[in-house]
Amino acid sequence: MILNPFGTADWMAIAPIVALAIASLLVLLADLVARPAISRYGAVAIGLLGTAAAAVLAAMQYGHVYAAFFGGFVTGGFTTVFEEIVAIALAGSLALYATLGDPKRIGGTVALMLWGSCGAMLMAGAANLMTIFLGLELLSLALYCLCGMVDRRGARESALKYLILSSTASGFLLFGMALLFGASGSVLLADLARPQLAANPLFWMGSGLFLIGLAFKMSLVPFHAWAPDVYEGAPLPVTAYMSVATKAATLAVFARVLYAALPAGTASHVMLPVWIVAGISMIAGNVGMLAQHDLKRLLAYSGIAQVGYILTAMAGGSALGLRYAIYYLVAYTFMNLGAFAVATAISGEHEEGARLVSYAGLARRRPWLAAAMTFFMLALAGMPPTAGFLGKILILATSADSGYAWLGGLLVAGTAISLYAYAKVVRAMYLPQSGDHHVADLRPIAPLAWISVTLCLIGVIAMTFYPLTPSNVLPLLR
Amino acid sequence: MTGALPVALGNYVALASVMFFIGVVGVLVRRNPLVMLMSIELMFNAANVLFMAFARAWLQNAGQIFAFLVITVAAAEAAIGLAIVVAVFRSAATVDVDEVRSLHG
């Protein structure tokens, strides 16, 4: 009899990832077979179909907890939520890529985006160190290539920078994993929660190096310098993808470690440096935004601060905190993708939408786009009629409740600073400019970018009025 | 800890730590991306030494499998890394990281 170590149920658990992988192979095949005939829309259509299939398959798993591959991949609740976030980011950036992308490279780019998302979804469900590393590298390797996929010197440079710095961070993460394996004798995250580990120096060194690696991937402050440069150099749709999917996947790993893989009583000690770094990120990220004249750099600094907000929600290690963190992450996904979609809608070949100068007088040329951008900026800043405001209130409440009021205080301070930076974009669009000669270069309307803007608007508004936070996520985490 | 190691476990940890440290210093000090990539490989292999030593000490095959996984990933990373270095050289005619800095920062 042939030994079959993995049953059908194991393959069902990774069905969304398999769907993405199949779609990416189909894109490559179509690109190869029908090269002159396949338009950029053809490749993107296959990609979007694969993404939709993955999203539906993931949604069908919700509530059916299953630990596949000897406990290496857990799916059902928490994982499903993060898989959906990755699917949203992927669908959004594919739509943007159809508008802006280089037709010569469309097949490879779409395939890489799909593979990167396989990695991100693996990270979302990773319950042992091997799966975390595999998912992280799959995502990162795809992103290095994606950053350099255009003929621009800046893009190549950002790819090199990202490759070197991110691989170094992977080295730290991996060495930390090796030490954690040495401490526990197991690669399962759940085995790291054994109480006797609290006295083992290997555990402390290992978790320290592991967290340095994660902090880099989340672009927290001492390890954030790569983010603005890489975001600036990478093509606009790739930046949009990176800003959401990488953060979501890394936050999923971080949350699983925090909630399910620490010996009882050690969480507040092991994670204290992370909370401090998150606090610094909220201030430094928002201060960094003030000096930027490039939308991608501005949103990179914004992202550094936003990760800080999400970590603030988790700081107490409470179930409620995780729910609010997920709520804010979903809202952030829509706001950020929306801002990038507006930038794409006013971009041509040279990515004009990435520069703040291009927004001068936009309110007269494209009043609806300007209104949408204003809404997204207000949401990112956390102003009252938006999901960003609701999310911040919930985070403040939970941080005060769990004894991390100082983080809440830093969040408020950071928000106050950020208002000025976000207002800069809005001011440019609405204030009449003396040298306003941009009226002439009105581009034809890019339908997919406009659809993305609309869907993101609907997403943010829906999140405001129906603050859905998955209630039974925490018990499904392990 | 079970299993008899001919060399004490601490020595493996010391060796791996030294390898890792050399790798980190290499990334920080050297300005040639090829040497930086080699230093990163050194960091990965330091982790591999640890995985193998701990796998033997705990009699857990997972560590050895992990090392194989790391070797595979490192190979992919080197391939992509070299491709990117070539692409940068084509557009900038230099790969020195001090000169490749049109992005501010």
Side-chain angles (χ1 to χ4, degrees):
Chain A
M1 190 191 136
I2 301 163
L3 275 176
N4 178 13
F6 306 122
T8 321
D10 283 353
W11 293 108
M12 287 310 294
I14 57 163
I17 298 169
V18 174
L20 287 184
I22 291 175
S24 107
L25 291 176
L26 285 179
V27 169
L28 282 184
L29 196 69
D31 193 45
L32 200 67
V33 176
R35 180 167 268 286
I38 189 166
S39 65
R40 54 172 77 177
Y41 292 107
V44 168
I46 300 174
L48 283 175
L49 281 177
T51 313
V56 170
L57 286 168
M60 280 162 59
Q61 291 172 347
Y62 190 74
H64 304 283
V65 194
Y66 186 69
F69 299 104
F70 304 112
F73 185 84
V74 180
T75 185
F78 176 82
T79 307
T80 307
V81 176
F82 279 84
E83 281 177 344
E84 297 294 351
I85 296 174
V86 172
I88 293 169
L90 177 61
S93 15
L94 281 177
L96 301 188
Y97 199 83
T99 310
L100 272 192
D102 175 0
K104 279 187 308 215
R105 298 201 168 91
I106 192 90
T109 311
V110 172
L112 278 171
M113 276 190 176
L114 290 165
W115 268 318
S117 305
C118 289
M121 288 191 179
L122 261 180
M123 285 169 80
N128 79 17
L129 299 175
M130 271 190 231
T131 324
I132 294 177
F133 184 68
L134 184 64
L136 184 70
E137 287 302 304
L138 193 51
L139 174 62
S140 302
L141 291 178
L143 285 176
Y144 305 150
C145 300
L146 283 170
C147 286
M149 282 290 256
V150 281
D151 291 318
R152 246 185 311 119
R153 189 174 157 181
R156 301 278 163 79
E157 198 180 310
S158 84
L160 181 67
K161 208 168 232 177
Y162 194 30
L163 168 84
I164 300 280
L165 293 173
S166 178
S167 305
T168 311
S170 295
F172 276 93
L173 190 91
L174 190 65
F175 201 74
M177 283 179 171
L179 291 171
L180 288 175
F181 172 66
S184 70
S186 159
V187 287
L188 283 178
L189 281 185
D191 286 337
L192 290 176
R194 286 198 297 242
Q196 65 267 33
L197 282 183
N200 192 333
L202 286 179
F203 168 76
W204 291 92
M205 280 168 60
S207 50
L209 288 171
F210 184 84
L211 289 175
I212 288 178
L214 280 190
F216 178 91
K217 304 278 176 183
M218 290 191 281
S219 63
L220 288 175
V221 144
F223 318 105
H224 71 292
W226 62 276
D229 286 359
V230 172
Y231 279 31
E232 184 190 357
L236 198 56
V238 174
T239 313
Y241 178 73
M242 223 176 353
S243 69
V244 177
T246 320
K247 283 198 181 74
T250 321
L251 279 166
V253 170
F254 177 80
R256 189 166 268 120
V257 170
L258 170 65
Y259 282 89
L262 288 175
T266 58
S268 54
H269 302 291
V270 175
M271 292 297 179
L272 184 63
V274 180
W275 310 140
I276 293 173
V277 157
I280 299 170
S281 298
M282 287 190 277
I283 301 297
N286 285 323
V287 170
M289 277 173 75
L290 298 176
Q292 304 308 322
H293 302 288
D294 182 299
L295 188 79
K296 286 193 277 185
R297 288 184 78 87
L298 188 125
L299 287 176
Y301 279 106
S302 149
I304 292 167
Q306 307 275 355
V307 171
Y309 303 156
I310 295 170
L311 289 177
T312 302
M314 293 188 202
S318 68
L320 211 55
L322 184 62
R323 280 176 63 180
Y324 295 157
I326 291 174
Y327 171 76
Y328 194 83
L329 181 63
V330 175
Y332 168 75
T333 302
F334 284 119
M335 313 187 273
N336 215 38
L337 278 180
F340 278 109
V342 173
T344 307
I346 66 164
S347 285
E349 250 179 279
H350 303 290
E351 291 198 353
E352 293 83 351
R355 285 187 295 278
L356 283 191
V357 197
S358 318
Y359 292 82
L362 188 71
R364 261 165 300 128
R365 285 177 285 143
R366 294 262 191 247
W368 289 106
L369 269 187
M373 191 62 164
T374 308
F375 186 73
F376 292 133
M377 288 296 133
L378 286 178
L380 282 168
M383 285 296 101
T386 63
F389 174 71
L390 189 58
K392 275 187 184 161
I393 291 293
L394 294 174
I395 290 173
L396 275 180
T398 187
S399 70
D401 201 41
S402 53
Y404 286 87
W406 58 276
L407 269 177
L410 289 173
L411 187 152
V412 174
T415 303
I417 301 168
S418 76
L419 273 181
Y420 179 79
Y422 291 116
K424 212 159 69 170
V425 182
V426 178
R427 205 172 46 222
M429 292 189 296
Y430 283 92
L431 278 190
Q433 308 274 323
S434 51
D436 193 359
H437 50 265
H438 294 274
V439 185
D441 54 42
L442 261 186
R443 263 164 254 291
I445 284 172
L448 276 172
W450 280 72
I451 293 172
S452 310
V453 172
T454 316
L455 289 179
C456 289
L457 263 183
I458 294 173
V460 180
I461 294 170
M463 290 292 290
T464 317
F465 291 106
Y466 303 97
L468 295 174
T469 53
S471 54
N472 52 347
V473 158
L474 191 58
L476 306 179
L477 195 62
R478 289 188 173 100
Chain B
M1 302 246 175
T2 52
L5 286 169
V7 181
L9 190 61
N11 296 341
Y12 288 102
V13 178
L15 170 71
S17 305
V18 170
M19 279 172 73
F20 184 75
F21 186 71
I22 293 173
V24 173
V25 172
V27 173
L28 294 178
V29 171
R30 301 302 291 266
R31 302 287 83 181
N32 183 331
L34 291 178
V35 182
M36 291 167 102
L37 280 174
M38 282 161 62
S39 305
I40 289 164
E41 297 293 310
L42 202 58
M43 291 166 75
F44 278 35
N45 283 321
N48 279 347
V49 169
L50 272 190
F51 276 123
M52 302 306 282
F54 286 132
R56 187 74 183 81
W58 285 97
L59 296 178
Q60 276 284 337
N61 288 340
Q64 296 176 1
I65 297 166
F66 209 142
F68 277 122
L69 179 77
V70 174
I71 291 169
T72 319
V73 166
E77 191 145 339
I80 289 174
L82 292 178
I84 289 175
V85 171
V86 170
V88 168
F89 183 75
R90 275 193 187 160
S91 62
T94 176
V95 287
D96 191 301
V97 287
D98 285 331
E99 287 165 44
V100 182
R101 52 186 314 166
S102 65
L103 304 173
H104 20 157

